[in-house]
């Protein structure tokens, strides 16, 4: 079913702890970080209110509000987590070893789509594999999403490193004690709490024999259904049409590429099958083969040429994404980061 370089639907060998962080391995040997610079103090602006009084406000609050208005309601990480959660029980499968690593990759992809990071503009970078090319922060404006902003600050204050190094370090995949501070802690729980704040989930306490654990059942079933429909659309329809919604606004840049990235990330995170449960066995097998082809084509830069693939599914995807790339030619270095992250996903099972 899967292509030679693609993923296989099996569990990796890493151990995932209850807080969602994997135990470390020894793949990263990047240089030690630079001395962190102290953050600038909070800037305060004033506007004239009623009765001639001045009103103080933080201009960053305004910029974050504008940012949220331009972006989908859910980040890529939240969509992947939502696909993995059991609707009524509100927790992820205990046997899923891949999702934590895939979520860190989605953080880098999301930062690239939001114009915060890109490949370092250096013609010699083409000598290196895609995932080993250096990325840099091109805009340190906060996004208003806690995990994205935490990762962005780390990247800004650190030396420049490759895509695969950043995903490894944020996952805690290193024996280097100087790098432990790069690990993003409790990513799954923090994403779940963010979805609670957005009205998608709720929080409950559930007893698991010897201990109590916070669970997050789905409240807004329509939000999860929209994601499932989008996944099935990409995986089964000959012509893929993406209707506008609050989760994929019509004015959003790279709507098709973003959707393909989400589907490939769900495949890497071993949660894709959760969106395909209503399909027959044969249709699910075709869907997995389709995503395997998509992952192979969009984990290279420039993206591979696509004419519907062997499955005859999504025949318009290649043209739609080519048009998006053409409209965003000034953002090619950012899209190269997306391709690099997808290339890391293609070897996820062998890494873990």
């Amino acid at each position: 079913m899967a292509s030679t370089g693609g993923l296989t639907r099996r569990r990796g060998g890493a151990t995932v702890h209850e807080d969602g962080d994997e135990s470390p391995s020894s793949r990263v040997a990047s240089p030690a970080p630079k001395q962190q610079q102290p953050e600038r103090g909070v800037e305060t602006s004033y506007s004239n209110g009623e009765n001639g009084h001045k009103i103080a406000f933080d201009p960053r609050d305004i910029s974050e509000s504008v940012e949220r208005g331009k972006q989908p309601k859910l980040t890529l990480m939240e969509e992947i987590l939502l696909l993995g959660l059991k609707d009524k029980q509100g927790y992820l499968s205990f046997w899923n070893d891949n999702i934590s690593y895939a979520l860190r990759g989605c953080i880098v992809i999301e930062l690239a789509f939001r114009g915060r990071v890109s490949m370092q503009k250096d013609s010699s970078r083409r000598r290196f594999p895609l995932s080993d090319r250096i990325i840099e922060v091109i805009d340190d404006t906060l996004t208003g999403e806690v995990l994205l902003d935490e990762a962005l600050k780390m990247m800004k204050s650190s030396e420049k490193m490759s895509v695969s190094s950043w995903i490894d370090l944020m996952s805690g995949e290193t024996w280097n004690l100087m790098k432990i501070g790069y690990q993003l802690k409790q990513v799954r729980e923090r994403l779940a709490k963010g979805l609670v704040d957005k009205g998608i989930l709720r929080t409950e306490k559930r007893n698991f024999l010897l201990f109590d654990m916070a669970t997050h059942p789905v409240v807004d079933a329509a939000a999860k259904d929209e994601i499932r429909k989008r996944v099935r659309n990409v995986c089964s329809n000959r012509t893929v049409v993406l209707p506008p919604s609050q989760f994929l606004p019509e004015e959003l840049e790279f709507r098709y590429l973003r959707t393909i990235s989400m589907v490939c990330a769900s495949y890497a995170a071993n949660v894709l099958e959760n969106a395909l449960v209503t399909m027959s066995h044969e249709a699910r097998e075709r869907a997995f083969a389709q995503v395997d082809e998509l992952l192979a084509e969009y984990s290279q830069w420039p993206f591979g040429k696509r004419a519907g693939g062997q499955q005859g599914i999504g025949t318009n995807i290649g043209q739609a994404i080519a048009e998006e790339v053409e409209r965003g030619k000034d953002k090619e270095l950012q899209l190269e980061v997306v391709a690099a992250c997808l290339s890391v996903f293609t070897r996820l099972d062998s890494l873990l």
Side-chain angles (χ1 to χ4, degrees):
M1 187 267 315
S3 60
T4 305
L7 292 167
T8 55
R9 281 175 285 158
R10 60 178 174 81
R11 298 192 297 275
T15 301
V16 179
H17 301 296
E18 195 60 45
D19 64 357
D21 296 312
E22 300 91 349
S23 56
S25 67
S26 54
R27 301 200 306 276
V28 179
S30 48
K34 296 178 182 177
Q35 185 79 17
Q36 291 196 3
Q37 298 296 324
E39 293 187 12
R40 292 176 296 177
V42 176
E43 298 177 2
T44 304
S45 297
Y46 299 90
S47 63
N48 292 323
E50 295 180 4
N51 303 322
H53 296 298
K54 286 187 175 182
I55 300 174
F57 65 93
D58 186 343
R60 292 179 299 182
D61 293 338
I62 305 298
S63 61
E64 288 178 13
S65 178
V66 172
E67 169 81 16
R68 284 196 181 99
K70 294 179 180 177
Q71 298 298 332
K73 182 174 181 178
L74 302 182
T75 63
L76 286 172
M77 305 87 72
E78 290 170 333
E79 290 182 331
I80 299 304
L81 184 82
L82 196 53
L83 277 178
L85 281 174
K86 300 176 186 293
D87 290 8
K88 295 181 180 179
Q89 295 91 335
Y91 57 85
L92 296 161
S93 169
F94 293 117
W95 311 114
N96 191 337
D97 295 332
N98 287 0
I99 190 168
S100 290
Y101 194 88
L103 287 173
R104 271 71 170 192
C106 287
I107 289 174
V108 181
I109 294 175
E110 188 72 54
L111 287 172
F113 276 133
R114 293 181 183 230
R116 300 308 196 270
V117 300
S118 74
M119 285 293 181
Q120 189 174 39
K121 193 172 183 179
D122 181 0
S123 58
S124 64
R125 74 182 185 280
R126 295 185 177 88
R127 295 180 299 168
F128 301 97
L130 198 55
S131 61
D132 291 339
R133 297 176 188 176
I134 303 298
I135 62 175
E136 62 182 354
V137 174
I138 56 174
D139 181 0
D140 61 358
T141 305
L142 298 181
T143 65
E145 299 287 347
V146 177
L147 278 171
L148 293 180
D149 292 340
E150 184 178 337
L152 185 63
K153 288 177 182 177
M154 278 200 305
M155 292 180 176
K156 179 67 176 177
S157 61
S158 168
E159 61 188 292
K160 295 173 184 177
M161 291 186 280
S162 69
V163 170
S164 59
S165 292
W166 272 118
I167 298 175
D168 287 345
L169 290 174
M170 288 192 292
S171 302
E173 298 285 326
T174 177
W175 287 110
N176 187 341
L177 295 179
M178 299 294 293
K179 303 291 187 181
I180 294 299
Y182 287 113
Q183 183 179 10
L184 292 179
K185 303 289 183 64
Q186 296 183 320
V187 167
R188 292 191 273 188
E189 181 63 23
R190 292 162 70 186
L191 286 172
K193 288 180 178 177
L195 287 169
V196 171
D197 293 339
K198 293 179 180 182
I200 309 296
L201 306 177
R202 70 174 185 271
T203 301
E204 292 180 353
K205 287 288 185 182
R206 193 180 182 92
N207 181 265
F208 289 86
L209 296 178
L210 300 177
F211 59 92
D212 290 333
M213 187 177 81
T215 60
H216 304 282
V218 176
V219 174
D220 186 354
K224 188 166 184 176
D225 286 342
E226 196 278 343
I227 299 171
R228 287 172 175 152
K229 288 176 183 176
R230 209 179 334 146
V231 171
R232 290 195 294 269
N233 189 353
V234 170
C235 294
S236 61
N237 290 355
R238 181 172 179 82
T239 300
V240 175
V241 178
L242 299 175
S245 70
Q246 60 181 328
F247 305 105
L248 198 70
E250 189 169 12
E251 64 276 9
L252 182 68
E253 273 191 305
F254 308 116
R255 296 176 78 247
Y256 277 86
L257 182 56
R258 185 184 182 90
T259 299
I260 296 304
S261 300
M262 183 270 287
V263 172
C264 290
S266 69
Y267 186 30
N270 276 346
V271 299
L272 175 63
E273 195 158 7
N274 295 349
L276 309 177
V277 290
T278 59
M279 299 169 65
S280 68
H281 175 74
E282 293 77 13
R284 285 201 302 272
E285 289 301 314
R286 287 195 297 272
F288 274 101
Q290 160 75 348
V291 179
D292 218 14
E293 291 179 13
L294 289 171
L295 191 53
E297 290 161 4
Y298 292 101
S299 60
Q300 54 184 298
W301 183 259
F303 295 132
K305 302 296 183 183
R306 179 172 179 79
Q310 299 179 7
Q311 307 301 315
I313 299 172
T315 55
N316 64 319
I317 290 176
Q319 181 63 31
I321 291 181
E323 291 173 0
E324 290 180 341
V325 173
E326 181 63 28
R327 288 195 298 269
K329 285 189 72 68
D330 58 327
K331 298 180 175 67
E332 286 188 351
L333 290 173
Q334 295 160 222
L335 300 183
E336 192 173 334
V337 174
V338 175
C341 291
L342 296 182
S343 74
V344 173
F345 289 163
T346 63
R347 50 196 179 91
L348 182 58
D349 271 352
S350 62
L351 287 175
L352 292 180

